[in-house]
Amino acid sequence: MTRGTEQRPVWTCKDDERWAAQFELALAYHHNPPDGLADAALAEVHQIAAEAGQPIRKLVGEPNAYADTVAAERISETRRSTEGLDGLVAGGRFTAGLVLAGVQAVLFGIVLWVSDGFWLTAGWTELTGGALLTVLSVTVSGVLPELRAAARLRAWRIALAAVCALAVTAAVLFTAVPSGSLIEVPAPALFGVGALLAVAGFRLPDERAARWFLGRRAAAEPVGDDAWLARLETLLRGRHGYSPKAAARCREEARDHLRASGGGAAEEFGPVEVYAMRLADNPGRTSRSARARLIPAAAMCALSVRYGYDLLADPEPRSVWFWIKVGALPLAIWAWGTALLEIRSALRRDTRKGTAQRHRSK
């Protein structure tokens, strides 16, 4: 998650400054550019505007449209082929997971400081459970998405089983194992843990993290048509969200084409990751992305509702922390509920489009 360090141009008017901010946001949000591309594009536009003596908007148009143009011209298919349904390139999910785990550690430190005081008494139970929770956070938010996007589905299933085992172990530690008194640590010590995780996420290059999860075999171009077709199927399933049936159908269609043409897969279709991206870049991408987010959003919404029920079933009106939780809970339920409604709308739109297309074909 490293970022470029190019010197940023100085804008002569407020509208140019707003244009630059909108362009940078659109490029980052919609296209996930490589480090330095936004700075290089802004430097070029700044020079053009300075030489012409006119506003940027008049010279190159609206920032969103210009971001699309820059992305189409300067982001290679090889890089875009590593993007999954979440829009992140290979390695970016793990680095983002480290940053998220760091933020969670800081928030947890604040919670403990407010509820238990500055000094915390910790035993082996708390220390081991805290370490397991950190590993769980990084694994769920970073490792699992990376393995799936790398199309290493067997490793993804093993990691998922490990997550379930770790979650059960952590729950047993915090509920069934007696708490001991080993050391006293200040609550802000968790801020340091969180800072280390976040800095590691920001400093670790996405490309290096990607190599950890791809492995040598997956990173190399498959040798032989069977290996190429098998890799195509796993890429469609893991990285692009195809169902097993749809991915198998695409594999067989590619195999039929090879039989008819008599050529090899690499010669006919090119690099397998790029071809998988081209296949997946269709109107169904929106619905696949919505289906991928459906179960996590529904689970978080259900957990928020359950937590609210438990909180109100045993209220502590004299506790300030109780009222903070009561105030934050509706926001969480609203956020996840809104996400579910957005997912539902996307799936309905895709269903209507599919129905309309079938009627037109008839």
Side-chain angles (χ1 to χ4, degrees), residues 125-259:
T125 300
E126 291 79 8
L127 294 176
T128 306
L132 287 179
L133 288 178
T134 303
V135 172
L136 275 172
S137 176
V138 175
T139 304
V140 171
S141 59
V143 175
L144 285 175
E146 282 293 348
L147 288 174
R148 189 166 184 85
R152 300 183 65 183
L153 301 182
R154 181 179 300 177
W156 178 82
R157 295 187 189 99
I158 294 173
L160 183 60
V163 164
C164 296
L166 287 175
V168 172
T169 303
V172 170
L173 281 175
F174 283 114
T175 58
V177 178
S179 176
S181 177
L182 181 64
I183 57 173
E184 284 191 344
V185 295
L190 286 173
F191 300 172
V193 175
L196 287 175
L197 290 170
V199 170
F202 276 113
R203 298 291 297 174
L204 177 64
D206 292 344
E207 294 79 8
R208 180 181 298 178
R211 290 196 294 269
W212 296 347
F213 293 96
L214 277 173
R216 293 181 180 178
R217 182 177 298 180
E221 188 69 13
V223 178
D225 289 350
D226 290 339
W228 194 98
L229 292 169
R231 179 65 176 165
L232 173 66
E233 182 179 4
T234 55
L235 281 169
L236 291 175
R237 289 182 58 188
R239 184 172 298 173
H240 300 291
Y242 275 61
S243 66
K245 183 177 179 180
R249 184 172 64 249
C250 291
R251 180 200 63 201
E252 292 307 316
E253 289 174 355
R255 190 188 301 276
D256 292 341
H257 177 86
L258 294 179
R259 288 171 181 165

Side-chain angles (χ1 to χ4, degrees), residues 4-18:
T5 58
E6 297 284 341
Q7 184 176 358
R8 302 180 69 84
V10 178
W11 306 104
T12 57
C13 67
K14 288 293 182 181
D15 186 62
D16 286 356
E17 188 174 348
R18 285 193 295 269

Side-chain angles (χ1 to χ4, degrees), residues 31-346:
H31 304 288
N32 200 359
D35 295 339
L37 177 58
D39 292 332
L42 287 175
E44 293 174 4
V45 170
H46 181 267
Q47 183 177 358
I48 293 172
E51 293 174 354
Q54 296 182 6
I56 298 176
R57 201 179 301 270
K58 182 177 179 180
L59 291 172
V60 299
E62 294 301 316
N64 288 357
Y66 192 69
D68 294 339
T69 302
V70 169
E73 294 177 351
R74 305 193 189 184
I75 300 180
S76 66
E77 280 193 322
T78 302
R79 177 180 175 83
R80 288 192 287 116
S81 68
T82 66
E83 294 183 7
L85 291 175
D86 52 12
L88 296 175
V89 296
R93 303 164 189 86
F94 180 70
T95 56
L98 288 176
V99 174
L100 178 61
V103 172
Q104 290 173 341
V106 171
L107 293 177
F108 192 52
I110 295 174
V111 170
L112 291 179
W113 193 350
V114 172
S115 58
D116 297 340
F118 183 83
W119 289 99
L120 306 174
T121 301
W124 287 114
T125 300
E126 291 79 8
L127 294 176
T128 306
L132 287 179
L133 288 178
T134 303
V135 172
L136 275 172
S137 176
V138 175
T139 304
V140 171
S141 59
V143 175
L144 285 175
E146 282 293 348
L147 288 174
R148 189 166 184 85
R152 300 183 65 183
L153 301 182
R154 181 179 300 177
W156 178 82
R157 295 187 189 99
I158 294 173
L160 183 60
V163 164
C164 296
L166 287 175
V168 172
T169 303
V172 170
L173 281 175
F174 283 114
T175 58
V177 178
S179 176
S181 177
L182 181 64
I183 57 173
E184 284 191 344
V185 295
L190 286 173
F191 300 172
V193 175
L196 287 175
L197 290 170
V199 170
F202 276 113
R203 298 291 297 174
L204 177 64
D206 292 344
E207 294 79 8
R208 180 181 298 178
R211 290 196 294 269
W212 296 347
F213 293 96
L214 277 173
R216 293 181 180 178
R217 182 177 298 180
E221 188 69 13
V223 178
D225 289 350
D226 290 339
W228 194 98
L229 292 169
R231 179 65 176 165
L232 173 66
E233 182 179 4
T234 55
L235 281 169
L236 291 175
R237 289 182 58 188
R239 184 172 298 173
H240 300 291
Y242 275 61
S243 66
K245 183 177 179 180
R249 184 172 64 249
C250 291
R251 180 200 63 201
E252 292 307 316
E253 289 174 355
R255 190 188 301 276
D256 292 341
H257 177 86
L258 294 179
R259 288 171 181 165
S261 66
E267 292 78 11
E268 291 287 328
F269 302 118
V272 63
E273 293 196 353
V274 173
Y275 183 70
M277 177 199 68
R278 292 171 180 169
L279 280 181
D281 191 13
N282 55 48
R285 183 180 180 87
T286 301
S287 63
R288 294 197 304 272
S289 176
R291 284 195 296 269
R293 293 183 290 125
L294 178 60
I295 293 178
M300 292 303 299
C301 188
L303 286 174
S304 300
V305 172
R306 175 67 183 180
Y307 181 73
Y309 174 79
D310 293 339
L311 185 67
L312 297 178
D314 187 19
E316 298 177 4
R318 295 183 179 181
S319 171
V320 175
W321 192 242
F322 168 79
W323 292 108
I324 293 176
K325 294 178 182 177
V326 169
L329 191 62
L331 295 177
I333 295 175
W334 173 81
W336 291 113
T338 302
L340 283 175
L341 291 176
E342 178 187 349
I343 292 170
R344 180 188 178 193
S345 298

